[in-house]
Amino acid sequence: FNGIIPAMIVNDGCEASLKKCEIKGNKNYSTIGIILKNCDAKITECKIHNCRLGGILMLLTKNNQVNISSSKILFNDMLGIQCLGAEAAPAIESCKIENNNGPGISVGISNQATIQKNEIRLNKYGIEVLSADPLIISNKIDKNYADGIVTRVYEELRCEPQIFNNEISGNKENGIHVMGAGNFSRIDANVFIGYNKKAGVRVCLRGHAILLKNNIGKNLTQGVLVVETGTAHIERNKVFENIKANIAIGGLSSVNNNIIENEISDGRCEGIFAIECGRAYILRNNITGNHDGIVMVTAIPVVMTNKIHKNKSNGVFMLKDSRPILKGNEIVENEGMGVYIRDKSCGEIERNLVTNASLSLVLTST
């Protein structure tokens, strides 16, 4: 710890219990609130603030037991709380983690922290996960200055966070950002992912996300954005009222995305937007009230058994040499064209029900 000034160190093999303590650092020096190293600790109803190098740093083994609860981690530089140690499983619950100049909580390689029922706001990132496997459950993560949750990979070491039942809103970039080969983030049953200034969920750089049963709405760009080499399995979500496409996929090497049994509604632009993407599977979705139902640009998705109803313009719009499989869909009561095919687009188009549009089918060469 050369050059570091901690208020408290709990070292190898020791135990500590703190309750109703206040630790104030000094940002003119390399201060840390608490260092926990290979020990057991319980920290309850404490306030740790204004430390230059962070509030709490943990370096633990899988046999250590650490619980941080009902505490305030505020106004620290670098980060609020850092969890290090493979297979260690500290618990952070019912805390207020606010106004830290780095991540509110940082979870390092192979750590299995439980992060539950916290208020995490006004940090740079709400939670940062680096090739780790935390359980992130029932938190309120809002108004952070970058992403609400960012999950990254270090040298392709596997990253498998479980992000469950959170409210993630009002962050200045994405609600959840998944990136890196070996990243398999599971995003499940979150109460609301919305009002973020970029996408609700963004997947990129060979990352893979599994999205199940989330409510994703009212973001200022896309609801779900899967960029270039990223992939996602998107099933049984409600995706609604996003300013750009409710769900957008495409770009370099974009293949193997699944969009299945979602309620996709009331977007200002497209319900689903697929651009320059390889094979994707768009199956059994209800797509209603968007500007366009599905728009494909130089794309070859499989689009089957969807209900594409009451969109404000076209039900399905294919352009720039798109070649989808379009089978067994109900394309009904759209205000523009039912199916609009242009720019040399073609494909396997059969057994679709197309009714109650200003024109059911339009083909143009330009």
Side-chain angles (χ1 to χ4, degrees):
F1 305 121
N2 286 342
I4 296 174
I5 306 171
M8 180 177 181
I9 300 176
V10 185
N11 225 327
D12 299 41
C14 296
E15 297 181 11
S17 179
L18 282 74
K19 186 172 183 179
K20 296 186 177 179
C21 297
E22 180 176 354
I23 296 174
K24 182 179 180 181
N26 186 327
K27 292 190 178 180
N28 295 319
Y29 301 95
S30 298
T31 54
I32 291 179
I34 300 173
I35 295 176
L36 304 175
K37 183 174 181 287
N38 301 337
C39 65
D40 297 338
K42 186 174 183 180
I43 299 170
T44 307
E45 297 181 51
C46 294
K47 181 179 180 181
I48 302 167
H49 60 107
N50 289 288
C51 298
R52 182 174 171 182
L53 298 182
I56 299 174
L57 170 61
M58 294 181 267
L59 179 57
L60 307 173
T61 71
K62 65 180 180 180
N63 297 318
N64 296 133
Q65 296 183 5
V66 170
N67 183 279
I68 303 168
S69 64
S70 303
S71 295
K72 296 179 179 179
I73 315 296
L74 312 171
F75 294 103
N76 300 287
D77 286 348
M78 298 291 288
L79 49 83
I81 299 173
Q82 187 170 41
C83 306
L84 301 175
E87 298 185 36
I92 304 166
E93 55 189 11
S94 302
C95 294
K96 288 189 175 181
I97 302 168
E98 301 179 357
N99 290 289
N100 299 286
N101 287 337
I105 300 173
S106 176
V107 187
I109 296 170
S110 298
N111 195 273
Q112 298 176 359
T114 296
I115 301 167
Q116 184 172 6
K117 296 181 180 178
N118 301 284
E119 294 182 18
I120 303 171
R121 60 198 305 268
L122 299 169
N123 309 285
K124 182 177 180 182
Y125 298 100
I127 300 173
E128 180 183 53
V129 178
L130 180 65
S131 289
D133 311 316
L135 175 61
I136 301 170
I137 180 170
S138 301
N139 301 281
K140 185 174 182 180
I141 302 168
D142 67 333
K143 297 183 177 66
N144 296 286
Y145 294 109
D147 301 317
I149 299 174
V150 58
T151 68
R152 314 177 194 268
V153 169
Y154 177 75
E155 294 186 352
E156 298 194 11
L157 293 174
R158 197 172 178 94
C159 183
E160 286 190 88
Q162 297 180 62
I163 302 168
F164 177 74
N165 197 44
N166 301 280
E167 182 179 335
I168 304 168
S169 64
N171 299 287
K172 290 196 174 178
E173 293 191 9
N174 306 286
I176 301 173
H177 195 173
V178 177
M179 63 179 83
N183 193 333
F184 297 91
S185 296
R186 185 179 177 96
I187 302 165
D188 193 353
N190 290 282
V191 175
F192 183 58
I193 303 172
Y195 294 116
N196 300 289
K197 289 198 173 178
K198 291 188 177 179
V201 179
R202 186 178 196 266
V203 187
C204 63
L205 299 175
R206 297 168 63 198
H208 178 75
I210 300 168
L211 289 83
L212 300 171
K213 302 179 184 177
N214 302 283
N215 292 312
I216 304 171
K218 302 185 178 181
N219 297 284
L220 299 189
T221 61
Q222 297 85 3
V224 180
L225 173 62
V226 185
V227 180
E228 296 184 342
T229 54
T231 60
H233 180 90
I234 305 165
E235 184 173 353
R236 287 182 285 169
N237 301 278
K238 292 182 179 179
V239 189
F240 58 94
E241 295 181 34
N242 297 284
I243 299 300
K244 292 189 176 180
N246 274 323
I247 299 175
I249 59 174
L252 178 67
S253 301
S254 176
V255 293
N256 297 327
N257 292 294
N258 302 316
I259 304 172
I260 300 170
E261 294 183 3
N262 300 281
E263 299 286 338
I264 302 168
S265 64
D266 301 310
R268 293 275 190 93
C269 297
E270 304 86 0
I272 298 174
F273 181 59
I275 181 169
E276 295 181 356
C277 68
R279 186 64 78 210
Y281 295 88
I282 302 172
L283 311 174
R284 302 189 299 278
N285 300 282
N286 289 333
I287 304 170
T288 61
N290 307 282
H291 185 266
D292 290 292
I294 300 175
V295 175
M296 293 168 265
V297 182
T298 320
I300 56 169
V302 175
V303 182
M304 296 178 64
T305 59
N306 300 280
K307 294 181 179 179
I308 305 168
H309 294 183
K310 297 182 179 179
N311 296 286
K312 297 178 178 65
S313 186
N314 306 302
V316 175
F317 189 13
M318 300 160 47
L319 62 160
K320 293 189 177 178
D321 201 23
S322 290
R323 302 188 179 195
I325 296 171
L326 188 70
K327 293 183 179 181
N329 300 283
E330 287 185 13
I331 305 170
V332 176
E333 295 186 64
N334 298 285
E335 294 181 20
M337 320 309 181
V339 178
Y340 187 6
I341 303 172
R342 58 174 290 178
D343 301 333
K344 300 180 181 179
S345 295
C346 60
E348 297 180 40
I349 303 172
E350 57 186 65
R351 298 195 307 274
N352 300 287
L353 174 64
V354 186
T355 63
N356 293 5
S358 32
L359 289 169
S360 291
L361 176 65
V362 175
L363 291 87
T364 64
S365 60
T366 57

